[in-house]
Each structure stands twice: as structure tokens, then as C-alpha cells.
Amino acid sequence: MRKLDPFLLSLIAAIALATFLPCSGLWADVFSKLTTFLIALMFFLQGARLKPEAVLESVRDWRLQGSVLTCTFLLFPLLGLALRAAVPGLLKPDMWHGILFLCCLPSTVQSSIALTSIARGNVPASICAATLSNLIGILATPILAGLIVQKGNIWSAHAILDIATQLLLPFGAGQLLHKRLGAWAHRNKKLLSLSDRGSIVLVVYTAFSHAVVEGIWHRVSVPDLALMAGLDIVLLGLVLVLSRLLGRVLGFSEESSISLMLCGSKKSLATGVPMANILFPVSVVGTVVLPLMMYHQIQLFVCTLLARRLAARPEA
């Protein structure tokens, strides 16, 4: 049975610290500026690590890549909207915004590739699909969030400027400097991964500090958390089943079907937390990222069990 990973424990610790010792006043301003810098640095380093050739390689198998993108940016939002239409009173509005925002996010990179490898799926296709999903997600996620979350200040001129300055420009600068920094970034992959995760933990602490000051724990109860987790499980289960069926209908090989299922069902915490910090008012960011944080651990647990089961299948 998969244990809680250290990253998730760090996120829980950040929430606990923000609950009992939230930053406020001058320190809130300092942490806000620091998180803005760290988000830009994180996307810069992502751009420096990614080979520009990988973008072109990502579209080789257009049927499989298109299917992963369809699951990520179409199937998920449709399922989220359907669930809200079916049981609108199950969660409070801000929590539904979190569920819908989760549905707009790109796939993960590391876990999608690792789990595809464990399941003996099409690893090269998963590398391409996860890369392409994250590149498209930088623009697609804010647009989708503006369309389906239906908050007037999400897709504003201010949000466009923040996306450009904090995500797109740093990523593009990293791409331009790939030849100079790419080898260094790959040699220090573990250190940079620790830096990325540390940045996300700090963003979560800052977001929850604002949320605690705004009274998040008076609005979110233990039953609310259980209902959010239940909806996350339903979403994951539906996408796993439907993506598996889609692979069979399109006649994909077993390896490619596994890649579609494991890449198409993931949602990126690393992209989602910084994006939420940009797109949503500080008073609701903490509530919005809760479903995503739950989904992160649920997807790792369920898909690891699934990958191990698929790995035990007999050779073709």
C-alpha cells in the first residue's frame, strides 16, 4: 500500500502552520512578493530543462496526443460541469470552483511517465503527451477557468498580464537559455525538484494564511472535506474508465491505451497551485486548491495500484 509521500506531508504541514501561525500585515506582503518571484523562477527552470525539440516530438502520434488532450481539457471539464449540475448543493460555491478549476488543469509529467513505465505502457508517448499537455495548459487552463468557473475577475487584463509575466515570459526565457542551462539543469534534477516543491509549499502556506485570516475553517468543515474527496474519487474513476474505453474504440495498442489512461487522468499540482494564486482572489485561493491537493494524493494511490496490476498482465 502506498504511503503518504513527503511532498504531501509538507503541504499538510504548511496548512497546519498557516492555520495556527498565519502570516499577515507586512509579512503577508513579503511572502506574496516572494511567491511571485518563486513561481517565475520555477517556470524559468522548467523552460531551461525542456528541450525545444521535445515540443515537435510531442505531436508525432497525433491520434494518441489528441486523445490525451481531449481527456485533459474537454472530458474533465464536461464531467465537472455535469457533477455540479447533478448535485449543485453538495458543496459550497467556492468548493465547486475548486473542483471545476481542477478539471481545467494539465496533466502531470513525472508521475504520468513513471506510472506508464511501471504499467509497461508506451513510455515515449507518455513523455510527449505530458510535455504537450503542460505547454498547452499554460494558456488553456486560464481560458477554461474563465469559461466554466464563471468568475468575472478570472480572465481579466490583470490576469493576462500576470500569466504573461509570471509564467509565459520566464518559460520562454528558459527555453532560449536551454543550450546554456539545460545540461546543468539535468545534472541537478533532484535539487531543482526540491526547489520546485519548496516553492509550491511556500505558495500553499501564503495562500492558506490569507484564507485563515478570511475565516476558511469557519466555511469548510470535515464533512465538506469528505465530500470533496468523494467527488475527486468519482472524477478519477470516470476518467479512467472512459479513457480506457476511448483507447479501445480508437483501436490503440494495449501500451498506447495505458498511456492514454494514465496521462489523461492526471492533474498537475505543480501547475495548479501557482495558477490558482494568479487567477483567484486571495480570499478564496486556499479553498480552491483543496480539491486539487486531495486529488493529487488520490491519483497517485489509485494509479499506482492500477499500474502494478497492469504490469502483472501476461506478455502479448
Side-chain angles (χ1 to χ4, degrees), residues 23-33:
C23 61
S24 58
L26 176 61
W27 283 109
D29 293 335
V30 171
F31 275 95
S32 179
K33 288 180 173 60

Side-chain angles (χ1 to χ4, degrees), residues 49 143 173 197 199 239 272 274 278 280:
R49 275 176 282 192
I143 293 172
R197 293 185 172 202
S199 301
V239 175
I278 293 172
F280 291 89

Side-chain angles (χ1 to χ4, degrees), residues 39-52 55 134-135 138-139 162-182:
I39 288 170
L41 179 63
M42 184 169 64
F43 276 83
F44 170 77
L45 292 174
Q46 285 180 2
R49 275 176 282 192
L50 177 64
K51 293 180 179 179
V55 180
N134 276 265
L135 288 173
I138 293 176
L139 286 175
D162 283 345
I163 290 290
T165 56
Q166 294 185 42
L167 307 185
L168 285 175
L169 287 180
F171 183 86
Q175 282 279 278
L176 291 174
L177 293 173
H178 171 75
K179 289 186 178 180
R180 289 177 177 270
L181 299 176

